[in-house]
Amino acid sequence: MKTLLLGARGAVGAVVRQELIRAGHHVTTAGRTHDSDAVIDVHADLAPLAAQAQNHDVVVNASGVERADLVHATGSTPLVEISATGSYLEELRGVGGDNPVLLGAGLAPGASTVLVASLHSRPGDDIDVLIMLGSGEQHGPAAVEWTADLVGNDVYRPPESERIRNLVTSVRSSGPDGKTRRYLRADFPDHILLGDRDGTKIRSYLTLSSAPMTTALQVLGRVPALRRTLGASPHLGSDAWHIVARNRRTGQQLYARGHAQSVTTGRLTALAATRVVQPGLTGPTTMADIATLDDLESAGATTG
């Protein structure tokens, strides 16, 4: 399999490249500089991307650049997108047509999508997704920018009838390690990817592995003028992460947990690249359509 990889130098992209090469696949790295295998600037004209996509089996966008016209540029070549922005993924879903487009191939969405789909039992279910990210891990610029964009903004098309502001309201709950934490309401997009299918209500919440850092994040949510301080925040806490999906109606829950979220995200994205090229897969799809709980284990997570 030949993969065209956008963002190969990033924390996630480097893992995607390593995993695909380890599995015996060919990877073409794409970037703005001539030390990449292919010179492609996804901020500019996408004609070079269109030309390269024709010669590859799949395109993986790990660059953090969100452009819905990437779908048109990749043509009939399947596209794997790791973005966690609900409005953008919804736009991709709307313009994708019959071409395979994998929406959200990371932790949340991605692993979270698999957990929610595995837990869901009937239309109209009510599911909470509790996500802990490792604040002690060095994250790339795209991840920091995505978190900063939560500050001062509303959840995109929440299942509730009223506006919901990111990082303001919270719930307290215990994670897979038995510790009770405060989880802040946050705009992860599983309610867009799965909730639209049958009316299931999905609410996502975020905490960090450092309690003081979570408190600081909530302060930013209440005082958006301080959002510029996010990029300068110290890396306190561990690199541990977990995701808990809990069905309010049945009381049942599933979880996945591990360390080094960039590594797990890269492994899941590499898996998505190999699965999205399978015959018979068409149109917009999610990790829940191509991956299982066993696949999360194979990517280094512990599930339960």
Side-chain angles (χ1 to χ4, degrees), residues 14-287:
V15 177
V16 175
R17 178 178 180 274
Q18 177 183 344
E19 291 295 313
L20 288 174
I21 290 176
R22 180 181 297 168
H25 302 296
H26 174 81
V27 177
T28 301
T29 61
R32 288 183 284 182
T33 58
H34 288 278
D35 55 351
S36 301
D37 297 326
V39 179
I40 297 174
D41 184 355
V42 289
H43 294 89
D45 181 15
L46 295 182
L49 171 60
Q52 286 287 339
Q54 296 178 22
N55 301 317
H56 289 80
D57 300 302
V58 62
V59 176
V60 175
N61 183 23
S63 69
V65 176
E66 299 178 347
R67 292 184 59 174
D69 52 351
L70 288 173
V71 172
H72 300 304
T74 54
S76 60
T77 303
L79 172 66
V80 175
E81 175 59 69
I82 71 168
S83 171
T85 302
S87 57
Y88 169 58
L89 295 180
E90 184 176 58
E91 188 178 7
L92 280 181
R93 183 170 61 188
V95 302
D98 292 332
N99 297 331
V101 181
L102 196 288
L103 305 174
L107 284 187
S112 61
T113 317
V114 174
L115 292 174
V116 170
S118 300
L119 188 67
H120 175 47
S121 60
R122 76 180 190 190
D125 265 343
D126 206 335
I127 296 175
D128 289 337
V129 182
L130 309 176
I131 301 159
M132 185 184 82
L133 299 181
S135 51
E137 182 176 347
Q138 183 80 37
H139 301 292
V144 175
E145 182 179 354
W146 183 88
T147 307
D149 284 343
L150 295 178
V151 177
N153 290 313
D154 295 337
V155 173
Y156 179 71
R157 290 212 300 111
E160 298 93 335
S161 57
E162 70 270 18
R163 292 174 58 187
I164 304 295
R165 182 58 60 92
N166 280 306
L167 310 176
V168 175
T169 59
S170 65
V171 297
R172 294 189 66 84
S173 185
S174 58
D177 57 2
K179 294 182 180 179
T180 300
R181 297 178 174 85
R182 179 189 298 128
Y183 295 80
L184 310 176
R185 187 65 186 276
D187 199 4
F188 292 93
D190 280 320
H191 65 288
I192 299 296
L193 299 181
L194 296 180
D196 281 357
R197 296 184 178 185
D198 59 11
T200 298
K201 295 180 179 179
I202 304 169
R203 301 174 181 86
S204 298
Y205 298 83
L206 170 66
T207 193
L208 301 177
S209 57
S210 164
M213 292 296 290
T214 302
T215 299
L217 199 58
Q218 187 169 35
V219 170
L220 291 178
R222 297 182 183 276
V223 189
L226 300 176
R227 63 185 295 174
R228 292 184 179 181
T229 64
L230 186 62
S233 300
H235 298 287
L236 303 178
S238 70
D239 68 346
W241 62 267
H242 68 240
I243 303 169
V244 179
R246 184 172 296 147
N247 191 319
R248 291 188 181 186
R249 182 179 62 83
T250 65
Q252 294 178 312
Q253 71 174 38
L254 292 169
Y255 71 81
R257 63 176 178 173
H259 291 269
Q261 65 212 48
S262 295
V263 173
T264 308
T265 297
R267 289 172 176 169
L268 289 173
T269 303
L271 171 69
T274 63
R275 297 281 174 85
V276 78
V277 300
Q278 294 179 349
L281 191 65
T282 61
T285 188
T286 72
M287 287 295 283

